[in-house]
Amino acid sequence: MIRVDQIKCVPEQVTMPDGSMNEALLIQKTAALLRIQPNEVRALFIRRRSIDARKKPQIFYIFSVDIVVTEEHEAQILKKNRNANCRQSPWVSYEFPYMGKCGQSMQSRPVIAGMGPAGLFCAYELALHGYRPVLLERGKAVEERTEDVLRFWEEGILKPDSNVQFGEGGAGTFSDGKLNTLIKDKDGRCAEVLRIFCMHGADREICYDHKPHIGTDALVSIVRNMRNAILEHGGEIHFGTKLNGLHMTDRKVTDISVVSDGKERSMPCGAVVLAVGHSARDTLQMLYEADIPMEAKAFAVGLRVEHPQALINKSQYGTAKEGMLGAAAYKLTARTKSGRGVYTFCMCPGGYVVNASSESGMLAVNGMSYSGRDGKNANSAVIVTVDPKDYGDGSPLSGIVFQRDLEHKAYKIGNGSIPIERYGDYKAEVCGRNRDTGEDGDVRGKEYCADLVEDSAGGEWEPCIKGSYTYAKVSEILPKELAEAFVEGMEAFGEKIPGYNDDRTLVEGVESRTSSPVRILRDETLACPAAVNLFPCGEGAGYAGGIVSAAMDGVRVAEAVARKIDFFSGM
């Protein structure tokens, strides 16, 4: 195949009425760039689509495609088009390197703790290739879990093991379903993850969009379909079942203790995958007490901010209207004078801020979008980096203590509801200055934004939130240094997106579950040094930071588990 980059198309011309891409037009444009006839292109595969908004409001799609021509013709085309936009395709097709025997005994079956993206994809690959995995999920199946989450948002009734953090699909199920990752895909695992998503109900666009997303509503059915595929291939799933202990002999886990319906029992295993997620604090405590080696790691905490989506569209597209491009997204980074990083995280176009709590007396927020991204507001976490020297006491679990302290403050300040504060008030409290005097520098307030977003210029900006909320002093949640870094970042972001630091911007807290504050150590075989068949995996173990990176790590660990089981079985 031949890879061709930088194919520029007007969105209205290349998009069909059903939202699919006009492949005939792409073939014509590609052929013109290569100076060949369209009928010489036997097949075309879209590999990437991004938005070029440098000349807004004139917007273009930029495509990278692979084309198939005859073998003799391919060499001629490559020779005739020696430039950076035409080359041999670097596409890598993923293949799972092992194949197990379906008749394994229960003692040799791998057990996977956790059904977030890491555990789900690890189990899927193992099941597909004959290893009959056993999955443990402390929460409920995604259908029941959804009901519990909606009830919590509507009535405030929190179920500790069935909420935004716990249950089939993991924390990512109640998010925007963003699928972008910075991990290089030299082995084809990212493409494999996206392909599996598509096989089970995701739109084909996720395989080539620069910033792909699925949406919470679509993720629910996709997760259910993957579960059914695992069961069909010999997998076994235990909901409402929590990993409670490891039993080891000669650096090998022989069986595990699990708790379900309040009763503890033993379960044999050939390998154990720890895909417990970043909020399984009690499980991490159990592993720490069992002398499983781990360390505190850097992560980030902050607050979630909301703006009218029209303001973001105006900045990114040059017009407040979305059109067929959909709600605009953004990604912003800054560095404070003290050298601390501030950046946006989990940006949700047309989305909602949600109560993502999982422990009684504590409150954490997250962002969520449905597949249509048609909410009136955009929201994003604005987070500040922290590391063990900011919170550490020498314990690998000190980051969890730090998170809980912030979440307890947020719960107390909001009296159990999500606390909200206007950015103008937040900044005045944190900086100790009077916003009306102008002593705090360049304030971009209502007048500044009036010509940017006509529909949102008058009156206050209203929140889009799932769960109860109340106006309170969010400025009291973060430690002083982090609160000041948040303000410094917001002011820097206002230089990049006019109106971002408007007085009316909604600030909500606390965003504490950005990633795991703990890393469970593993060696070059991906096994834990304490046990040759114990595999830390995914975001909760400290090896991922989002749906795709967690799923990719799950695929990688599945390979390691299969290799280890094959070795022990003498296969």
Side-chain angles (χ1 to χ4, degrees):
M1 289 191 294
I2 299 174
R3 172 67 52 86
V4 185
D5 300 317
Q6 295 297 313
I7 302 170
K8 183 182 289 189
C9 299
V10 177
E12 291 78 10
Q13 294 177 348
V14 77
T15 308
M16 304 291 281
D18 63 356
S20 63
M21 294 296 97
N22 186 337
E23 189 171 304
L25 178 62
L26 284 173
I27 288 175
Q28 289 177 14
K29 285 185 170 288
T30 304
L33 284 172
L34 298 179
R35 292 170 290 173
I36 61 175
Q37 295 300 312
N39 60 11
E40 297 178 66
V41 178
R42 294 190 168 185
L44 179 142
F45 303 95
I46 303 172
R47 297 308 187 194
R48 189 176 179 85
R49 180 183 69 180
S50 58
I51 294 174
D52 182 354
R54 289 174 295 179
K55 296 181 180 179
K56 52 181 164 288
Q58 189 176 20
I59 309 292
F60 296 97
Y61 279 145
I62 304 297
F63 289 91
S64 290
V65 303
D66 283 346
I67 64 165
V68 177
V69 296
T70 62
E71 188 173 341
E72 315 84 64
H73 202 188
E74 182 174 308
Q76 297 173 6
I77 292 172
L78 289 170
K79 184 177 181 180
K80 187 168 63 173
N81 295 274
R82 292 176 177 172
N83 60 66
N85 295 332
C86 174
R87 63 194 190 282
Q88 193 82 35
S89 173
W91 186 258
V92 177
S93 179
Y94 176 81
E95 290 186 17
F96 193 80
Y98 305 98
M99 182 63 74
K101 293 181 179 178
C102 293
Q104 294 178 76
S105 68
M106 181 62 193
Q107 283 72 20
S108 65
R109 293 172 71 179
V111 176
I112 300 166
M115 282 188 73
L120 192 64
F121 275 81
C122 182
Y124 181 86
E125 290 290 352
L126 288 171
L128 206 65
H129 295 93
Y131 291 90
R132 301 172 61 234
V134 178
L135 279 86
L136 311 179
E137 172 51 57
R138 67 192 296 167
K140 297 180 181 180
V142 71
E143 301 94 336
E144 299 173 82
R145 177 192 180 197
T146 300
E147 293 178 5
D148 290 339
V149 169
L150 293 176
R151 188 177 181 191
F152 171 56
W153 288 340
E154 292 168 1
E155 303 176 20
I157 300 172
L158 175 66
K159 293 194 174 183
D161 288 329
S162 182
N163 47 59
V164 172
Q165 306 296 343
F166 295 130
E168 185 181 25
T173 303
F174 293 94
S175 71
D176 183 68
K178 284 170 287 295
L179 302 179
N180 45 302
T181 178
L182 298 178
I183 297 175
K184 294 185 185 296
D185 191 29
K186 60 184 179 65
D187 297 308
R189 295 191 186 101
C190 181
E192 171 74 350
V193 166
L194 298 178
R195 184 188 68 82
I196 292 170
F197 272 131
C198 287
M199 280 181 59
H200 294 91
D203 195 293
R204 181 172 170 267
E205 288 184 356
I206 68 168
C207 291
Y208 54 75
D209 257 346
H210 174 53
K211 293 182 178 179
H213 80 105
I214 294 180
T216 292
D217 46 341
L219 272 169
V220 169
S221 61
I222 292 167
V223 167
R224 181 181 61 241
N225 293 340
M226 288 188 66
R227 174 223 305 164
N228 291 335
I230 291 168
L231 293 173
E232 289 168 5
H233 285 87
E236 188 177 308
I237 299 174
H238 299 265
F239 291 111
T241 303
K242 183 173 70 172
L243 175 66
N244 201 49
L246 305 171
H247 303 142
M248 293 186 284
T249 301
D250 297 329
R251 292 184 60 246
K252 184 178 178 182
V253 181
T254 55
D255 60 286
I256 60 175
S257 293
V258 301
V259 174
S260 58
D261 296 325
K263 297 178 182 179
E264 188 168 5
R265 60 189 172 91
S266 179
M267 180 181 290
C269 58
V272 178
V273 176
L274 299 172
V276 297
H278 61 39
S279 294
R281 294 164 172 173
D282 52 354
T283 304
L284 291 170
Q285 179 71 39
M286 177 273 292
L287 295 170
Y288 175 66
E289 292 173 359
D291 294 324
I292 300 302
M294 58 181 67
E295 63 186 10
K297 62 179 276 291
F299 61 109
V301 297
L303 306 165
R304 197 153 278 267
V305 300
E306 287 191 85
H307 302 89
Q309 182 62 51
L311 183 143
I312 304 303
N313 292 342
K314 179 72 174 181
S315 171
Q316 303 299 80
Y317 297 156
T319 174
K321 298 179 180 179
E322 298 171 7
M324 63 177 52
L325 295 173
Y330 62 81
K331 183 177 182 181
L332 302 169
T333 63
R335 187 159 295 276
T336 67
K337 294 175 183 176
S338 65
R340 199 180 288 271
V342 184
Y343 55 99
T344 59
F345 171 80
C346 186
M347 190 270 153
C348 299
Y352 298 83
V353 174
V354 304
N355 190 329
S357 305
S358 62
E359 292 181 284
S360 178
M362 300 183 197
L363 189 143
V365 298
N366 196 6
M368 179 188 85
S369 293
Y370 294 112
S371 56
R373 288 180 164 180
D374 51 5
K376 67 179 181 180
N377 283 357
N379 73 72
S380 177
V382 175
I383 53 178
V384 184
T385 55
V386 294
D387 59 37
K389 67 176 180 289
D390 291 307
Y391 60 77
D393 61 1
S395 166
L397 303 183
S398 56
I400 292 176
V401 176
F402 178 69
Q403 287 177 322
R404 279 177 163 157
D405 180 58
L406 296 178
E407 291 171 17
H408 177 68
K409 284 182 181 179
Y411 184 91
K412 187 175 180 181
I413 288 168
N415 195 26
S417 296
I418 296 174
I420 305 177
E421 191 169 20
R422 300 287 175 182
Y423 177 65
D425 296 328
Y426 183 96
K427 181 179 178 182
E429 289 288 338
V430 169
C431 299
R433 299 169 184 170
N434 187 338
R435 299 270 301 172
D436 296 331
T437 65
E439 292 174 0
D440 53 356
D442 179 24
V443 178
R444 299 190 171 201
K446 296 180 183 179
E447 295 80 7
Y448 185 85
C449 292
D451 64 336
L452 291 177
V453 190
E454 297 82 0
D455 294 339
S456 302
E460 295 296 331
W461 297 348
E462 298 302 322
C464 289
I465 289 180
K466 297 289 186 179
S468 62
Y469 61 88
T470 184
Y471 287 87
K473 289 195 174 182
V474 179
S475 50
E476 295 180 357
I477 298 175
L478 297 179
K480 186 174 187 296
E481 184 180 350
L482 301 186
E484 290 175 345
F486 173 85
V487 170
E488 198 172 335
M490 288 290 292
E491 294 303 298
F493 298 160
E495 296 296 323
K496 299 174 182 179
I497 296 181
Y500 199 91
N501 57 337
D502 182 88
D503 284 359
R504 295 166 294 172
T505 298
L506 296 157
V507 181
E508 298 129 358
V510 62
E511 183 90 16
S512 53
R513 311 284 183 96
T514 58
S515 64
S516 177
V518 178
R519 177 173 289 112
I520 305 173
L521 303 186
R522 66 189 189 188
D523 59 24
E524 65 278 0
T525 71
L526 305 190
C528 176
V532 295
N533 62 338
L534 181 64
F535 296 88
C537 179
E539 190 164 341
Y543 295 97
I547 292 174
V548 170
S549 61
M552 289 173 67
D553 198 56
V555 172
R556 188 175 176 220
V557 168
E559 297 167 13
V561 169
R563 181 168 58 245
K564 193 65 64 82
I565 287 179
D566 287 358
F567 174 79
F568 285 142
S569 302
M571 294 165 59

